[in-house]
Amino acid sequence: MKLSPQWLRDFVDLNADLRQLADDLTLAGIAVESISGEGSEAVFEMDITTNRPDAMNHYGVARECSAIYDLPLTPIEPKLPPAAQAASSGGQAGTTARVVSYQGAHPPVTFPIEITEPELCPRFTARVLRNVTIKASPDKVKQRLALLDQRPISNAVDATNYVLWEMGKPTHVFDLDLLEGGRIIVRRAKDGETLKTLDGVERKLSSEDLVVADGKKPVGLAGVMGGFDTMITDKTRNILIESAWWDPVTIRKASRRHGLHTDASHRFERGADFESTVVSCDRVAELILQSGGGELVGGAVDVIARRLDQAPVALHVSEVHRILGEKLDAREIFRILDRLGFDVLPERGGEADFTIRIPSWRLDVEREIDIIEEIARLHGYDKFANTLPAYAGAVVELPDAEKDCKLRSSLLALGYDEAVSLTFISHHDAERFSRVPAIELANPLSEEASVMRTSMVPGMLGMMAYNLNRGSDNVRLFETGNVFEASGATANQLKRVCLGATGSAVLPGVHQPSRPLSFFDLKGDVEALLHPFRCKLLAYDSQTPKYYHPGRSARAVMDGEIVVQFGQIHPDVAAARKLRQDVFIAEFYLDLLYQHALREVRYEALPRYPAVERDFSFIFDDSVKFEQIREAMTALHIHEMRSFVPVEIFRGGNVPAGKYSFLLRARFQSGERTLREEEVGQWCPRIIKALEALGGTQRM
Amino acid sequence: MAYTVPKLKDWSAKALDKAGAKLLAALEQESTAVKNKADWKTFRDRWIGRKNGVLTQINDLWLKAAPKDAKRDVGQRVNEIKQQVTAGVEATAFPEGQVNPRIAGEGRSVLSRPASRGVGTVTAALDISLPGNRRALGAEHPIIKTMNEIVSVFRNLGYSVEEGPEIETDYYNFEALNFPPNHPARDTQDTLFIANQESKPLRDRLLLRTHTSPVQIRSMEKMKPPVRVVCPGKVHRNDAPDATHSPIFHQVEGLAVDTNITFCDLKGTLDHAMKALFGSSVKTRFYPSYFPFTEPSADVQISCIFCGGTGYRDGGRCPNCKASGWIELLGCGMVDPNVYRFVDYDARKVSGFAFGMGVERIAILKYGVDDIQLFFNGDARFLEQFG
Ligand SMILES: [Zn+2]
């Protein structure tokens, strides 16, 4: 909202310079975002919080200034000429309606105003003007509106706009001669009715809409926008001014339903000043009469269907102290509230210290805490001391904090950069990279981001492609985050870590040759990352989903649960994403992995006796996997065999096709003695026999 | 022709250098001829054997024969040569059954090996200005790093970490935080809604949490006062991505509820936290704001860390604070009594404060990042700057 400091001076005699004023307002909660222009042309860009509709206008801000600086506030008191003819103001018995009789050039017409929805329209004030000349507004009005970026239209329309910015009360003017049936009815629209609003849009109405209607048709969408067909034109001579109070929720719903957010709806949905309908109506009349001549017909017709309930609030000084922590004295409290327009009545002998009557423009103030906030903000937040509270509790860790920390620090040490990607993916990717039902967004940002991610892989591949397209060929990333799946009517959130790697395992340099990243580099990282977790059995199988390369991917199965899937991305998937080099991915299922505790380290005595190594050179059929060899060796239960590792695998040369040569190195060690040659000599044949049982032939 | 140790007549540094270089070249050349263990033994005896090995010879012919005044200098040089020859002979040794690495084509001089062990001579010194074989460490994401730093400041004040779901119900994201249905404050949240929720009551409808504040409610449901929690996490808004907007971002929420918490405590706690994050010279300024779930509510500014709060730097207006000297950083307030009703706390007995800050905003300030999208596209060139 724009605000002219010069305009404020109509109501309060400000001494502060512009910057000081802006600062003082901001520190009282009436935020000035920026200042543009100078002198009387200066404009404040305001950021008024949604709870303060009373400050979304000049008079309201002037009222704040008067409280901040303790200056008198000049009230708005429109001066109207005597009415040309007294209005009949007799209400119809038993109803909420009152009647204004209107005497035009034509035979006099009675003009009743009827409210059929008192809950939604508690108050409707109207005035009638006659023989007005529609023309441009006076310069002062035009200039002030222009300063606020408001386009001047005509004296009658500008008068309503001026009053909106001056005192925050939206009003409306009708061409009286275009109102049919000689009356105004506030009612719900009938299904099928239409209304062409001022913006020229033909709107379909329903019974949810509240309208201002004449005897025949809706002439305005209540509190939101007036009707096109009854608007003020150059030909208008006679005017009906409307100033009503509308139920905030009704206005908000209508504004949303019709996609029509106006200055009027903005204020009504936040709560306008119930007591300002008459003065605003008079102010519009005053402005029109000043510029367009004509005369007033009768007095204001003020129909009150029900009164708003603004209950007084009991204030305890002790509560002010308890919440704010500073011992403000009762006189200071009184002074602040009084300056803000609250009626502060001391309670003698009562339970509370004060009874506070709330001014009509402060619908946001309903409770003691609301009053305490008023006291705090006018006292000045910066005047409160900075203290630290005493505390008797202790820090409690999240159950997985240690595991998260371990995994993350290992990933960083392994050279993976930490990344964060968007949480949305496309339907297509959700189907391709997972088999769970995806959670769809009702108002997605785009087709490509229409569901919550069911897998971290599409995001990781996107980041890999992003890097490759920008000439970064050696990239390792990891992302920790949640994936989501629909589970009946609720959403499941599952924590994952996803790794992506492409390029070299060893970076090229002058001292060593480069080597491209392989499946086993990734597997090594997976092994290192899984190592801290305790399990009975960790095995790997190759049952990976279709988006993985069928021969270069694996699953890590920890005690029967799949905790990681990893490997090279399928060439078709890579091609579809235009990945121009091999990309490797690993998906860690933390919900399953974290069911395993971290290893508890127990010190093991260092060996005091030397180790002995023996190599076994075999030829195996390609169908024999290391897993089988591992199982066979483990099954031997040779306690002193501390490790066995493959040291060389060779295909081609004099090794027949379909076979490979395999060098296994076993290491023996005892914790109790130096092993003797004969002992080792007894184990070797068992090992050879076990390897032969797998179809291997020993090489001599 | 095999190398023989010459007698020296000239004991100048230049002459010694020349003689030394000749000797080492001979060693290098002969090392390539070693093909098996027997070869190596011969090679070893010829160079370092006690009986008339080359080293013994230079001891006699160069050092002992040197004039008195040159002895010190010659001795030093002979020692260097000895070390290098010994290491060179050792480097030529290789396991039985393998090929001499010298011949296998690796092309490395036997003499470079001892040098790499740190006993090199001037002649074989490495160009230590060449880059090392560096193993890259991963870089922490600036957002996660910043978020962890914020959390750690509050952990040190006794706050425990709490987390909550990113897909929330209307109840936790709005209703229990005192945003009634149809409240205009809901408009400020630009919510992303989950599809197909119309059949449920409003409070059960799913949406992407627009702030980490729901974790406040979940924490208070779980525990009784005293409560001190800090809740880091990802939040979502319906904001099309550009340099200053992102549909995802991160927040750290904090909550303290006890029998004794005041507005002064809120101020003191956040003043302390901002000093811990931005340096002890940073000042804080509180001014009234509005959040449905706190009252009184405040926005907090810190004195501009770029211009020291003066509003001017480098002879002009400070662009970071738009010459105001202040930077807006977070929102906070005393927990609104209405919120306590939802979690069954007695608002007459307890009081508390809550605060929330945008991690991206703080990271942008700390690192001078000019485009929020950089945080979310995984660009390694960007991420590695934070390594
Ligand atoms: Zn600055």
Side-chain angles (χ1 to χ4, degrees):
Chain A
M1 182 193 113
K2 290 192 185 321
L3 181 115
S4 153
Q6 185 63 26
W7 197 337
L8 296 179
R9 293 175 203 277
D10 285 7
F11 312 110
V12 65
D13 189 15
L14 294 170
N15 287 320
D17 68 26
L18 291 179
R19 175 151 290 288
Q20 187 62 46
L21 176 62
D23 256 12
D24 293 339
L25 280 170
T26 301
L27 290 175
I30 309 297
V32 180
E33 291 276 282
S34 62
I35 306 174
S36 58
E38 282 170 22
S40 62
E41 304 279 286
V43 173
F44 285 178
E45 186 60 55
M46 308 297 292
D47 184 13
I48 307 289
T49 53
T50 194
N51 59 325
R52 293 300 304 274
D54 65 291
M56 293 174 182
N57 61 80
H58 287 79
Y59 187 73
V61 175
R63 191 158 49 210
E64 288 288 321
C65 293
S66 122
I68 293 166
Y69 298 121
D70 203 5
L71 292 169
L73 181 69
T74 311
I76 296 176
E77 287 169 338
K79 290 175 187 62
L80 292 174
Q85 183 180 338
S88 139
S89 58
Q92 290 169 5
T95 76
T96 53
R98 293 190 186 185
V99 177
V100 57
S101 68
Y102 158 62
Q103 183 100 43
H106 304 290
V109 187
T110 326
F111 210 93
I113 290 170
E114 190 184 335
I115 298 170
T116 67
E117 298 287 344
E119 276 308 307
L120 310 186
C121 178
R123 189 169 195 175
F124 194 111
T125 306
R127 269 194 182 276
V128 169
L129 305 179
R130 196 174 65 176
N131 296 324
V132 172
T133 308
I134 301 301
K135 57 179 187 181
S137 289
D139 286 348
K140 182 186 160 193
V141 171
K142 278 199 288 194
Q143 281 159 7
R144 283 196 165 174
L145 290 178
L147 218 47
L148 310 182
D149 287 345
Q150 297 292 314
R151 189 170 56 92
I153 297 169
S154 69
N155 52 356
V157 176
D158 294 350
T160 61
N161 207 11
Y162 189 94
V163 168
L164 180 122
W165 293 106
E166 183 175 64
M167 55 191 296
K169 182 72 186 63
T171 53
H172 185 66
V173 281
F174 296 97
D175 184 326
L176 185 62
D177 297 321
L178 297 173
L179 296 176
E180 301 173 273
R183 60 209 202 118
I184 286 283
I185 309 166
V186 177
R187 61 167 167 87
R188 288 179 185 274
K190 294 166 191 147
D191 285 324
E193 269 186 324
T194 61
L195 172 66
K196 190 180 187 181
T197 39
L198 281 172
D199 54 2
V201 177
E202 190 82 30
R203 295 180 189 272
K204 282 203 180 80
L205 303 178
S206 73
S207 58
E208 289 178 80
D209 290 311
L210 188 67
V211 295
V212 177
D214 64 13
K216 296 201 165 158
K217 59 185 185 297
V219 293
L221 191 55
V224 181
M225 194 178 266
F228 187 89
D229 295 332
T230 50
M231 70 179 177
I232 305 294
T233 67
D234 294 349
K235 299 186 189 72
T236 300
R237 295 287 293 155
N238 303 312
I239 293 175
L240 179 86
I241 306 167
E242 163 205 323
S243 181
W245 195 95
W246 306 103
D247 168 55
V249 170
T250 305
I251 301 309
R252 178 173 161 80
K253 282 182 171 168
S255 155
R256 287 168 76 89
R257 198 161 45 241
H258 293 285
L260 199 53
H261 185 93
T262 61
D263 286 326
S265 70
H266 190 79
R267 283 159 181 78
F268 282 128
E269 72 178 47
R270 282 164 177 75
D273 179 357
F274 189 81
E275 296 304 335
S276 73
T277 59
V278 174
V279 66
S280 58
C281 200
D282 289 355
R283 181 72 171 132
V284 172
E286 180 188 33
L287 287 167
I288 295 175
L289 293 173
Q290 273 170 7
S291 68
E295 65 260 19
L296 207 55
V297 179
V301 178
D302 185 21
V303 185
I304 299 174
R306 68 175 169 94
R307 287 218 157 260
L308 289 195
D309 178 30
Q310 274 182 288
V313 174
L315 181 71
H316 306 76
V317 173
S318 61
E319 186 69 0
V320 176
H321 296 169
R322 183 176 79 95
I323 298 296
L324 299 180
E326 198 110 331
K327 301 247 180 283
L328 299 178
D329 70 34
R331 272 170 310 172
E332 165 79 347
I333 292 169
F334 179 91
R335 209 165 53 84
I336 287 172
L337 294 175
D338 182 58
R339 266 153 52 179
L340 283 168
F342 292 82
D343 263 344
V344 186
L345 312 170
E347 279 275 324
R348 301 230 186 274
E351 177 255 345
D353 299 300
F354 296 110
T355 297
I356 315 286
R357 294 231 174 86
I358 315 298
S360 62
W361 58 87
R362 292 301 302 272
L363 293 181
D364 60 311
V365 178
E366 298 173 304
R367 305 165 298 164
E368 188 171 27
I369 191 72
D370 301 327
I371 299 281
I372 292 173
E373 178 173 58
E374 293 300 301
I375 295 164
R377 80 180 176 89
L378 260 286
H379 179 68
Y381 281 5
D382 283 336
K383 290 204 192 112
F384 290 90
N386 289 346
T387 56
L388 286 175
Y391 183 52
V395 173
V396 181
E397 295 290 350
L398 284 177
D400 292 331
E402 197 186 354
K403 292 168 186 172
D404 280 336
C405 183
K406 180 82 197 166
L407 207 52
R408 179 169 182 263
S409 57
S410 301
L411 280 160
L412 292 169
L414 287 169
Y416 289 83
D417 293 330
E418 189 171 35
V420 177
S421 72
L422 295 193
T423 10
F424 322 107
I425 58 174
S426 66
H427 269 288
H428 179 78
D429 279 348
E431 278 162 28
R432 169 169 281 184
F433 293 98
S434 63
R435 279 177 293 185
V436 298
I439 294 170
E440 210 177 317
L441 292 170
N443 52 341
L445 286 149
S446 69
E447 187 65 29
E448 287 305 296
S450 51
V451 301
M452 295 305 286
R453 65 182 172 195
T454 49
S455 161
M456 306 274 283
V457 176
M460 183 52 76
L461 292 179
M463 294 194 285
M464 287 288 148
Y466 188 96
N467 278 294
L468 291 173
N469 291 340
R470 280 156 186 82
S472 303
D473 298 334
N474 289 300
V475 181
R476 287 177 203 211
L477 299 179
F478 78 96
E479 180 180 8
T480 309
N482 293 315
V483 299
F484 305 88
E485 58 184 61
S487 164
T490 61
N492 273 352
Q493 172 176 307
L494 299 162
K495 197 166 175 183
R496 301 273 164 90
V497 167
C498 187
L499 279 59
T502 189
S504 305
V506 178
L507 288 180
V510 285
H511 317 297
Q512 58 188 356
S514 168
R515 180 170 67 71
L517 199 73
S518 76
F519 169 82
F520 290 105
D521 291 309
L522 185 67
K523 189 180 178 191
D525 291 346
V526 169
E527 288 168 340
L529 292 164
L530 293 182
H531 178 74
F533 293 90
R534 197 159 68 192
C535 70
K536 288 194 196 73
L537 182 65
L538 174 61
Y540 292 86
D541 71 26
S542 55
Q543 309 293 307
T544 48
K546 285 203 178 72
Y547 53 89
Y548 281 106
H549 191 303
R552 298 180 187 173
S553 58
R555 304 190 304 185
V557 186
M558 206 178 246
D559 295 344
E561 291 275 18
I562 300 148
V563 292
V564 192
Q565 290 193 126
F566 63 99
Q568 190 178 332
I569 278 294
H570 194 288
D572 293 348
V573 177
R577 295 193 175 242
K578 301 199 169 60
L579 298 168
R580 56 177 168 73
Q581 62 189 44
D582 292 351
V583 166
F584 296 85
I585 294 281
E587 302 166 73
F588 285 68
Y589 302 94
L590 298 190
D591 48 326
L592 299 172
L593 179 60
Y594 283 180
Q595 287 176 10
H596 297 262
L598 289 174
R599 261 174 221 283
E600 277 172 38
V601 177
R602 294 282 299 167
Y603 156 75
E604 195 178 322
L606 299 180
R608 282 190 288 165
Y609 304 96
V612 180
E613 285 180 354
R614 286 287 183 276
D615 286 359
F616 301 88
S617 182
F618 269 76
I619 300 274
F620 281 115
D621 198 86
D622 274 346
S623 64
V624 178
K625 306 294 181 207
F626 180 68
E627 183 66 16
Q628 292 161 264
I629 296 170
R630 194 178 68 79
E631 281 169 13
M633 298 293 283
T634 312
L636 292 173
H637 295 297
I638 300 172
H639 178 68
E640 288 81 0
M641 185 164 65
R642 292 297 161 92
S643 71
F644 53 89
V645 287
V647 286
E648 193 181 276
I649 288 174
F650 181 72
R651 286 183 171 83
N654 52 9
V655 179
K659 292 180 184 297
Y660 62 100
S661 87
F662 181 81
L663 185 66
L664 183 80
R665 180 163 298 157
R667 184 179 171 88
F668 305 92
Q669 197 167 28
S670 164
E672 286 120 41
R673 62 188 188 283
T674 302
L675 292 176
R676 280 170 294 122
E677 190 63 37
E678 309 90 79
E679 285 179 286
V680 179
Q682 277 171 2
W683 294 325
C684 287
R686 289 177 59 200
I687 293 171
I688 292 166
K689 207 172 153 195
L691 293 175
E692 281 172 348
L694 291 170
T697 49
Q698 195 177 9
R699 292 184 96 187
M700 288 306 150
Chain B
M1 206 173 83
Y3 172 80
T4 50
V5 180
K7 287 185 178 171
L8 292 184
K9 287 172 198 133
D10 181 356
W11 307 96
S12 71
K14 204 173 156 192
L16 281 167
D17 275 351
K18 206 172 157 190
K22 227 173 175 176
L23 180 145
L24 292 173
L27 173 81
E28 175 91 35
Q29 205 244 322
E30 285 180 27
S31 76
T32 62
V34 177
K35 293 197 172 54
N36 53 43
K37 209 157 187 173
D39 284 354
W40 182 73
K41 280 181 177 161
T42 315
F43 172 70
R44 181 191 63 189
D45 293 345
R46 165 164 158 69
W47 284 88
I48 59 175
R50 298 231 168 147
K51 282 186 219 155
N52 214 29
V54 173
L55 292 190
T56 314
Q57 289 182 46
I58 61 170
N59 208 43
D60 295 342
L61 297 178
W62 294 3
L63 182 59
K64 285 185 180 163
K68 229 177 194 165
D69 58 345
K71 270 226 163 80
R72 202 185 133 137
D73 195 26
V74 174
Q76 199 179 337
R77 274 159 203 276
V78 165
N79 258 342
E80 284 171 8
I81 290 167
K82 275 185 181 172
Q83 280 178 6
Q84 225 174 340
V85 168
T86 313
V89 168
E90 276 169 13
T92 311
F94 51 89
E96 194 63 36
Q98 281 190 20
V99 183
N100 181 349
R102 182 77 189 92
I103 305 165
E106 284 193 20
R108 257 173 286 149
S109 163
V110 291
L111 294 173
S112 68
R113 295 192 175 194
S116 68
R117 289 177 199 163
V119 290
T121 65
V122 174
T123 46
L126 293 174
D127 178 359
I128 55 84
S129 64
L130 282 169
N133 292 329
R134 183 161 162 187
R135 279 175 294 179
L137 291 170
E140 289 182 87
H141 194 284
I143 294 300
I144 310 293
K145 185 178 154 86
T146 306
M147 191 153 77
N148 289 345
E149 283 165 7
I150 299 168
V151 167
S152 127
V153 166
F154 288 100
R155 277 178 53 104
N156 292 342
L157 287 172
Y159 289 69
S160 298
V161 179
E162 282 289 328
E163 287 177 341
E166 289 171 40
I167 298 181
E168 265 296 3
T169 59
D170 186 278
Y171 177 79
Y172 285 107
N173 198 71
F174 289 127
E175 189 182 340
L177 288 164
N178 201 28
F179 289 79
N182 288 307
H183 195 279
R186 288 185 172 220
D187 289 354
T188 60
Q189 302 278 314
D190 294 323
T191 313
L192 281 164
F193 296 97
I194 302 298
N196 310 318
Q197 303 292 307
E198 295 76 9
S199 61
K200 299 180 185 172
L202 181 65
R203 58 160 52 188
D204 295 337
R205 291 184 194 171
L206 298 175
L207 45 82
L208 300 186
R209 68 173 176 197
T210 57
H211 43 190
T212 40
S213 313
V215 189
Q216 283 184 31
I217 304 297
R218 292 183 175 274
S219 303
M220 287 191 278
E221 280 179 349
K222 268 203 314 204
M223 49 186 113
K224 288 288 150 205
V227 172
R228 277 194 190 195
V229 292
V230 59
C231 323
K234 194 180 280 175
V235 302
H236 296 81
R237 296 275 172 100
N238 191 357
D239 269 336
D242 63 27
T244 53
H245 295 86
S246 168
I248 68 164
F249 55 100
H250 299 76
Q251 283 185 343
V252 176
E253 188 89 4
L255 174 73
V257 182
D258 207 337
T259 51
N260 60 342
I261 305 271
T262 70
F263 186 70
C264 291
D265 294 333
L266 165 63
K267 284 191 65 198
T269 300
L270 291 176
D271 185 70
H272 169 86
M274 292 302 111
K275 285 182 165 64
L277 284 171
F278 293 101
S280 55
S281 62
V282 154
K283 290 197 278 293
T284 54
R285 187 166 97 156
F286 290 71
Y287 61 96
S289 187
Y290 171 71
F291 308 103
F293 45 101
T294 53
E295 183 142 12
S297 301
D299 277 330
V300 184
Q301 295 179 329
I302 59 164
S303 54
C304 179
I305 52 177
F306 300 97
C307 62
T310 60
Y312 294 88
R313 70 181 164 107
D314 305 334
R317 291 162 57 86
C318 172
N320 301 91
C321 60
K322 295 185 188 122
S324 72
W326 295 98
I327 292 177
E328 194 175 321
L329 217 55
L330 57 95
C332 62
M334 301 300 290
V335 177
D336 192 292
N338 282 359
V339 171
Y340 294 134
R341 290 214 310 254
F342 289 97
V343 296
D344 238 357
Y345 281 17
D346 186 346
R348 288 165 307 176
K349 294 199 175 121
V350 297
S351 56
F353 59 74
F355 55 86
M357 56 191 101
V359 182
E360 277 73 5
R361 180 158 174 74
I362 291 174
I364 281 170
L365 275 179
K366 280 188 91 140
Y367 300 113
V369 176
D370 53 8
D371 182 350
I372 197 173
Q373 295 309 310
L374 285 165
F375 290 129
F376 307 119
N377 54 27
D379 193 327
R381 298 168 304 174
F382 172 76
L383 296 173
E384 279 162 15
Q385 294 181 25
F386 300 91

